[in-house]
């Protein structure tokens, strides 16, 4: 049973005039008659009766018309959905993100993407960098926003989408807390709370290298996997810490925030996805994110 035959029948059922329907469908009248006849032969019933008074629906035609119209509408919608999905305009994207990316980067990006593609759905989770990489590898996550640098993985494509400076976080009573800017060597001898290496080895080693280049060998007294936890530890007086600037944007603790005068590499957030993930909606989102965030 062909869709075009059903469309032709529904048009004639509406107009009750083969000539008028032929013009509406841009067909010749004989071609339209053949399509309706083919549908009747397929069903094994007469749908339309033609005589000198005109065209009328048979009882069977009236019954078929109602359900056929609903079915055709659903099929047309299914066709559009399939086309949207193929074009990356429909689907579901699973996103993982580190805490600082969850403040503004991911929410703003999703809001802008949804304006253009309102039929795309998201599931989002705050996940540490190391776990994101494993989940992308295992096909449990489509897109990750994670801390860079990471080890080179041929199966995962990574693009830097955000850069920001590092800052120092000190307890409010610290001797340097009144200063707006410090140099790293001034933190010599202080206990440190650091980002746990197990969750983001590249990021941890980057920070350790930055401090080492400034002549500071940090005495690490506590580690944590989340930036808000690091800040809470500093607030509790456990130690000082070096964090990306965005980590301080929503601080509710009474800690001192100092910019760093040393010339340092920036903290970076990357967008990651599996190269083998060919889902059109994921590719479209990643292209959108890279274009939007790298302006």
């Amino acid at each position: 049973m062909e869709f075009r035959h059903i469309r032709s029948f529904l048009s004639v059922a509406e107009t009750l005039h083969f000539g008028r329907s032929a013009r509406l469908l841009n067909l010749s009248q004989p071609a339209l008659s053949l399509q309706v006849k083919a549908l009747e032969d397929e069903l094994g019933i007469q749908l339309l009766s033609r005589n000198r008074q005109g065209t009328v629906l048979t009882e069977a035609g009236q019954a078929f018309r109602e359900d056929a119209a609903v079915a055709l509408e659903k099929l047309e919608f299914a066709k559009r959905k399939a086309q949207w999905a193929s074009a990356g305009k429909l689907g579901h994207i699973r996103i993982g993100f580190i805490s600082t990316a969850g403040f503004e980067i991911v929410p703003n990006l999703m809001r802008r993407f949804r304006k253009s593609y309102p039929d795309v759905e998201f599931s989002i989770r705050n996940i540490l960098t190391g776990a994101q990489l494993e989940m992308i590898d295992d096909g449990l996550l489509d897109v990750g926003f994670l801390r860079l640098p990471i080890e080179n993985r041929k199966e995962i494509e990574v693009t830097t989408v955000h850069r920001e400076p590092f800052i120092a976080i000190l307890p409010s009573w610290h001797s340097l807390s009144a200063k707006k800017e410090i140099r790293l060597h001034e933190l010599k001898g202080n206990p440190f709370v650091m980002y746990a290496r197990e969750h983001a080895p590249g990021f941890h080693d980057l920070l350790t290298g930055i401090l080492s280049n400034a002549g500071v060998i940090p005495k690490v007294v506590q580690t944590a996997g989340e930036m808000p936890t690091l800040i809470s530890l500093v607030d509790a007086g456990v130690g000082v810490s070096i964090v990306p600037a965005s980590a301080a944007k929503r601080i509710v603790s009474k800690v001192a925030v100092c910019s760093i005068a040393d010339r340092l590499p920036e903290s970076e957030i990357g967008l990651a996805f599996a190269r083998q993930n060919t889902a059109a909606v994921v590719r479209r989102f990643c292209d959108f994110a890279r274009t939007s965030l790298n302006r």
Side-chain angles (χ1 to χ4, degrees), residues 223-295:
T223 63
E226 294 283 1
M227 292 297 170
T229 305
L230 286 176
I231 293 170
S232 295
L233 289 168
V234 173
D235 185 40
V238 176
V240 301
S241 192
I242 306 297
V243 299
S246 60
K249 286 188 175 180
R250 285 169 173 76
I251 286 181
V252 294
S253 308
K254 294 180 180 178
V255 295
V257 178
C258 304
S259 60
I260 299 172
D262 305 61
R263 195 169 182 176
L264 307 178
E266 292 182 302
S267 174
E268 297 179 335
I269 291 175
L271 176 150
F273 65 95
R275 295 184 190 276
Q276 66 180 16
N277 189 336
T278 58
V281 69
V282 173
R283 294 286 176 163
R284 181 174 288 273
F285 177 79
C286 290
D287 289 343
F288 182 90
R290 286 182 291 215
T291 300
S292 299
L293 298 174
N294 282 323
R295 285 176 179 171

Side-chain angles (χ1 to χ4, degrees), residues 28-61:
S28 68
Q29 192 167 325
L32 176 59
S33 297
L34 285 172
Q35 288 189 12
V36 173
K37 180 67 168 57
L39 179 61
E40 291 176 324
D41 290 344
E42 175 79 19
L43 295 172
I45 55 176
Q46 185 179 6
L47 299 172
L48 295 163
S49 176
R50 300 172 73 178
N51 54 43
R52 292 180 180 178
Q53 282 71 43
T55 301
V56 294
L57 282 164
T58 64
E59 187 174 345

Side-chain angles (χ1 to χ4, degrees), residues 102-293:
F103 292 152
E104 294 178 2
I105 295 172
V106 173
N108 289 340
L109 186 60
M110 286 173 56
R111 175 180 52 79
R112 293 197 300 270
F113 189 78
R114 273 192 169 134
K115 281 186 177 181
S116 299
Y117 310 104
D119 295 303
V120 173
E121 297 180 346
F122 294 93
S123 60
I124 58 175
R125 290 176 57 190
N126 181 194
I127 308 172
L128 298 173
T129 293
Q132 285 190 50
L133 291 170
E134 296 306 317
M135 291 177 72
I136 291 172
D137 263 344
D138 294 339
L140 301 175
L141 200 65
D142 296 312
V143 181
F145 290 86
L146 37 74
R147 299 204 182 284
L148 299 180
I150 62 169
E151 63 187 54
N152 183 37
R153 297 196 180 199
K154 292 182 180 179
E155 66 277 11
I156 296 179
E157 185 168 329
V158 181
T159 304
T160 301
V161 293
H162 178 75
R163 294 177 176 85
E164 60 183 314
F166 284 102
I167 56 171
I169 304 291
L170 316 172
S172 58
W173 45 261
H174 195 279
S175 59
L176 299 174
S177 62
K179 300 181 69 171
K180 291 184 178 180
E181 184 177 75
I182 65 168
R183 299 194 70 87
L184 286 178
H185 71 80
E186 296 180 82
L187 296 178
K188 280 183 181 179
N190 280 271
F192 273 78
V193 292
M194 296 279 286
Y195 199 86
R197 191 178 191 280
E198 63 195 88
H199 300 309
F203 180 76
H204 176 277
D205 293 349
L206 173 65
L207 279 177
T208 302
I210 286 172
L211 290 168
S212 177
N213 289 340
V216 179
I217 308 299
K219 178 185 177 183
V220 181
V221 294
Q222 183 63 55
T223 63
E226 294 283 1
M227 292 297 170
T229 305
L230 286 176
I231 293 170
S232 295
L233 289 168
V234 173
D235 185 40
V238 176
V240 301
S241 192
I242 306 297
V243 299
S246 60
K249 286 188 175 180
R250 285 169 173 76
I251 286 181
V252 294
S253 308
K254 294 180 180 178
V255 295
V257 178
C258 304
S259 60
I260 299 172
D262 305 61
R263 195 169 182 176
L264 307 178
E266 292 182 302
S267 174
E268 297 179 335
I269 291 175
L271 176 150
F273 65 95
R275 295 184 190 276
Q276 66 180 16
N277 189 336
T278 58
V281 69
V282 173
R283 294 286 176 163
R284 181 174 288 273
F285 177 79
C286 290
D287 289 343
F288 182 90
R290 286 182 291 215
T291 300
S292 299
L293 298 174

